[in-house]
Amino acid sequence: MNTPAVDSPTQAPAVGPRVADLASVTRGDVEEFLYTEAELLDDWDLDTWLTMYTDDCRYVIPCNDTPEGDPARDLVLIDDDALRLRCRVERLNSRRAHREYPHSATSHQVTNVRVRPAEGDELPVVAEFVVWRFRGERSTAYSGRYHYRLRAVDGLLKIASKRCTLRMGSLRQVSDVAIVL
Amino acid sequence: MTIINDPVVTAPPAGPLVEEDRAAHRFRVHRSTMTSREIYAMELEKVFGCSWLYVGHESEIRNKGDFVRRPVGNRQIFMVRGRSGQVNVFHNSCTHRGAMVCRQDRGTSKVFSCFYHAWSFNTDGELVGVPGRDAYGDGLDFSKLGLRPVARVESYRGFVFLSYDPDIIGLEEYLADAKEYLDLVIDATEDAEIISGTNEYAINANWKLLAENSIDGYHAVSTHDTYFKYLGALGTDLKGGVTGTAKALGNGHAVLEYAAPWGRPVAKWEPLFGEASREEIGRLRADLVEKHGDERASRMADTNRNLLIYPNLVINDIMAITVRTFMPQSPDRMEVTAWELAPREELPQLRQRRLDSFLTFLGPGGFATPDDIEALESCQQGFHSLGPEYNDISRGMAREPQANDEEQMRAFWRRWHHQMMGDA
Ligand code: FES
Ligand SMILES: [Fe+2]
């Protein structure tokens, strides 16, 4: 694992569709982009996955019982900025993330993709997800709704923020959120 | 979603489940304590039926009619702020034919109406409505058909406990020397509240493994390497390491108290907190010194506490404060519920540091707790190898116990054994 691209976005390999500007982005573009993210996560290519995020990104998962939870005020499950996201990837790439070594097999399934009208330079996108996680003899599934805010940066879509609101009433069935949703 | 199909379990031994030989510095626990259904059933009765169990924090039901519902010791109960402001805890079961009368995890209500036949109860549990009351003869005394309160409820400085045993000793006496440590946490936080957002997860392992893990200093370095790397990446100087002591506090309670390299929102500054918060933390600290004197203030500010209140309440007063309970579901599964305790009025940047610390270390989406879960599940699966029959818990028996020794676990196990043998 080398220097993640959040530090040097110019070296990022181009993943996802090329887009001229936000106004021209189609749902097809967005779907392809989200499927690319899902594929990178399922392939555990987390270094490349990081390049899909902006330098000022945010990745948030509120607690199950407070879907509207505000990470500045309420306890949430995950609240990563670019640095913490990079640390998360470093952790998951190491053999000492015991919960994910060996890695789970995952299947990120993204559906019901809706592209909302652009707000300034950001494109709100909403989608449903089911993330299957298989490890040992155990299979569990996370399900909920993604809220993305995308930006066009040098002709590529980037994720400025991703919020995963879990639909499951608790984490009891899945134990934890040791994988990236 | 079982990991192991029909696990073969170790049968309880002919001899004692917990064996201690002080002269030989040996302490061991038979693994059937973690796998046997008989022992599990006995535990529900003798441990969970006869201890003080944490229900919740008073800040969760600040106003009259506020309630929270949650199982405690595998029994459905709910806690509600009654009409004169007192805390009531009821068995969550209609006195008519049994349905749960409180069917939401939290909320505010003046009455709890059972939807089945619409009997309704007020926040003091009194039966206040029975549709078609005239169908009943004179023999039925409706005043006796109020909700059944749990046998005992007591609150210690905002922490509400219940006991299903009417004859149990009072809560303060039960807390024994753990009271002093609870006081340290409470005095340092002052007007504390449980903040919104609950961690509700589960571990496919025996509940006692989490009691052990929560006060286990020995595993930190090996298990949580990636967390310490993360702290290092943020600029925390980890050279000092962790030094401290482990103590038994009576009645099975135990504590680790130690100095650690990380900062504490109350009230130890570190660069990670940012220059802006330096002054505020200094002020908090000066406040503590003024109120509690140098020595106690420094304990509050500088040292960390992992406190186990027997049998299943853990308060980690470290870089954030967790309040965590865990309930057994079977010999090899427990449900964990964790809350974050914080001062009600707190500077936003300190609250942010506290939240960050909690979720990165103590939360199930963080850089440490998933690895604890893995460790515990791994132990549980290992028990089914049926090789070694005993766990060894002797560490530190030949010296003054340190924070990475196991005296605190021995305290837990001694009490557990005592209760299970029926002479508690
Ligand atoms: S069971 Fe509650 S009213 Fe009948
Ligand atoms: Fe741990």
Side-chain angles (χ1 to χ4, degrees):
Chain A
M1 175 193 43
N2 32 47
T3 316
V6 281
D7 283 346
S8 47
T10 47
Q11 284 159 33
V15 290
R18 300 222 58 102
V19 295
D21 56 32
L22 266 198
S24 69
V25 172
T26 65
R27 177 151 75 193
D29 292 333
V30 170
E31 283 175 343
E32 195 185 327
F33 182 70
L34 299 186
Y35 299 162
T36 302
E37 183 187 26
E39 184 175 14
L40 289 169
L41 287 171
D42 290 338
D43 291 345
W44 285 92
D45 184 355
L46 300 181
D47 291 322
T48 308
W49 170 72
L50 269 182
T51 68
M52 300 182 77
Y53 284 73
T54 64
D55 290 345
D56 60 349
C57 68
R58 202 78 181 265
Y59 165 57
V60 171
I61 305 182
C63 284
N64 304 67
D65 68 337
T66 41
E68 302 302 322
D70 170 1
R73 189 191 58 222
D74 307 317
L75 180 60
V76 297
L77 292 166
I78 289 178
D79 175 24
D80 289 355
D81 57 9
L83 171 64
R84 198 176 295 154
L85 201 56
R86 200 181 69 214
C87 291
R88 183 176 297 280
V89 166
E90 243 170 69
R91 168 180 149 78
L92 286 170
N93 281 339
S94 92
R95 291 171 166 233
R96 315 213 84 199
H98 308 288
R99 188 58 168 169
E100 275 302 322
Y101 186 79
H103 284 321
S104 301
T106 65
S107 172
H108 285 69
Q109 308 192 357
V110 187
T111 60
N112 307 17
V113 176
R114 284 127 327 169
V115 179
R116 308 285 199 220
E119 293 171 10
D121 63 346
E122 291 187 348
L123 189 65
V125 168
V126 184
E128 298 297 307
F129 68 85
V130 176
V131 178
W132 284 95
R133 180 188 187 194
F134 303 93
R135 185 156 184 261
E137 292 301 303
R138 189 168 170 190
S139 73
T140 51
Y142 300 81
S143 116
R145 181 170 289 177
Y146 287 143
H147 288 270
Y148 284 98
R149 296 186 77 86
L150 306 181
R151 270 189 228 145
V153 180
D154 300 330
L156 285 172
L157 286 173
K158 297 277 174 193
I159 300 166
S161 98
K162 174 179 183 177
R163 187 179 164 104
C164 316
T165 308
L166 295 168
R167 203 79 80 188
M168 312 110 77
S170 77
L171 291 177
R172 306 260 196 239
Q173 291 305 311
V174 293
S175 283
D176 56 38
V177 206
I179 56 167
V180 175
L181 293 187
Chain B
M1 200 203 39
T2 44
I3 291 191
I4 297 148
N5 297 321
D6 268 347
V8 191
V9 297
T10 324
L17 295 167
V18 174
E19 275 182 31
E20 175 160 24
D21 183 340
R22 286 185 199 240
H25 306 133
R26 198 192 65 180
F27 192 104
R28 56 181 202 162
V29 173
H30 197 264
R31 290 184 177 180
S32 61
T33 56
M34 313 280 195
T35 57
S36 153
R37 296 217 153 257
E38 291 72 32
I39 290 174
Y40 169 72
M42 232 169 104
E43 270 179 338
L44 287 186
E45 188 192 325
K46 299 197 174 215
V47 176
F48 289 90
C50 300
S51 297
W52 280 105
L53 304 173
Y54 180 72
V55 180
H57 194 266
E58 285 194 34
S59 63
E60 296 177 81
I61 50 163
R62 214 173 270 287
N63 303 308
K64 289 177 190 172
D66 288 356
F67 65 87
V68 292
R69 171 187 84 150
R70 55 187 59 136
V72 173
N74 285 19
R75 308 190 199 190
Q76 297 293 340
I77 59 99
F78 69 103
M79 165 168 95
V80 56
R81 184 73 73 173
R83 289 186 302 170
S84 54
Q86 82 285 18
V87 173
N88 295 321
V89 181
F90 298 110
H91 292 274
N92 191 2
S93 181
C94 183
T95 50
H96 177 225
R97 296 246 294 280
M100 292 212 282
V101 296
C102 178
R103 296 171 69 238
Q104 282 175 316
D105 289 336
R106 71 174 79 97
T108 304
S109 187
K110 281 203 175 81
V111 288
F112 295 87
S113 308
C114 177
F115 78 93
Y116 196 5
H117 312 91
W119 283 25
S120 53
F121 305 86
N122 66 18
T123 53
D124 289 322
E126 292 156 355
L127 179 59
V128 292
V130 176
R133 199 184 275 244
D134 50 7
Y136 290 91
D138 294 338
L140 200 59
D141 183 355
F142 286 104
S143 73
K144 295 257 160 53
L145 286 172
L147 292 173
R148 172 74 67 86
V150 297
R152 300 277 297 272
V153 177
E154 281 185 39
S155 173
Y156 183 72
R157 302 193 65 188
F159 291 75
V160 181
F161 293 76
L162 67 72
S163 181
Y164 299 117
D165 176 4
D167 302 320
I168 195 168
I169 56 171
L171 178 62
E172 288 205 30
E173 191 186 344
Y174 176 87
L175 289 173
D177 294 341
K179 224 168 59 152
E180 181 198 344
Y181 289 85
L182 211 44
D183 285 339
L184 279 175
V185 178
I186 296 164
D187 287 339
T189 329
E190 304 228 313
D191 189 6
E193 64 173 353
I194 295 289
I195 68 175
S196 98
T198 313
N199 289 172
E200 295 170 284
Y201 51 105
I203 306 178
N204 286 324
N206 188 274
W207 68 276
K208 296 185 287 305
L209 290 175
L210 188 56
E212 289 183 345
N213 171 269
S214 301
I215 47 170
D216 177 5
Y218 190 23
H219 80 290
V221 172
S222 44
T223 303
H224 300 311
D225 180 69
T226 65
Y227 178 74
F228 295 118
K229 278 221 173 65
Y230 161 71
L231 278 190
L234 293 185
T236 302
D237 179 4
L238 295 165
K239 275 198 306 291
V242 167
T243 48
T245 55
K247 252 188 248 161
L249 301 173
N251 292 338
H253 319 310
V255 71
L256 292 188
E257 194 170 21
Y258 54 98
W262 51 73
R264 293 169 44 79
V266 178
K268 183 186 160 210
W269 185 84
E270 70 151 320
L272 177 54
F273 286 11
E275 273 309 314
S277 64
R278 194 168 196 152
E279 212 184 295
E280 176 65 14
I281 289 192
R283 195 161 44 239
L284 284 172
R285 194 181 179 109
D287 247 27
L288 292 180
V289 171
E290 193 181 316
K291 285 194 191 123
H292 305 284
D294 271 327
E295 198 195 338
R296 194 148 188 269
S298 128
R299 256 177 101 190
M300 288 171 173
D302 297 328
T303 64
N304 300 270
R305 274 157 293 282
N306 291 29
L307 177 64
L308 170 71
I309 298 192
Y310 182 92
N312 69 333
L313 170 65
V314 167
I315 296 171
N316 287 325
D317 173 19
I318 47 181
M319 64 290 265
I321 305 172
T322 41
V323 177
R324 176 198 279 167
T325 61
F326 33 98
M327 303 293 170
Q329 303 299 304
S330 70
D332 52 14
R333 184 171 168 86
M334 74 180 106
E335 290 187 350
V336 185
T337 308
W339 298 271
E340 178 165 10
L341 191 77
R344 235 177 130 184
E345 303 292 337
E346 188 171 37
L347 230 58
Q349 63 263 37
L350 288 186
R351 174 59 68 93
Q352 189 69 65
R353 294 266 65 93
R354 185 188 292 280
L355 288 164
D356 285 353
S357 294
F358 191 105
L359 66 93
T360 54
F361 185 69
L362 299 157
F367 296 1
T369 291
D371 296 329
D372 286 314
I373 296 173
E374 181 70 8
L376 272 43
E377 293 191 348
S378 182
C379 291
Q380 193 71 34
Q381 293 173 52
F383 296 152
H384 295 294
S385 84
L386 297 187
E389 279 184 75
Y390 289 88
N391 280 349
D392 183 274
I393 313 192
S394 313
R395 192 176 160 85
M397 274 179 95
R399 64 176 181 187
E400 197 54 42
Q402 297 173 9
N404 56 4
D405 286 338
E406 292 167 345
E407 175 58 21
Q408 62 282 21
M409 285 165 228
R410 292 189 287 275
F412 171 88
W413 279 110
R414 285 185 198 115
R415 171 68 179 173
W416 180 88
H417 197 224
H418 199 60
Q419 274 197 312
M420 290 289 280
M421 291 303 100
D423 53 356

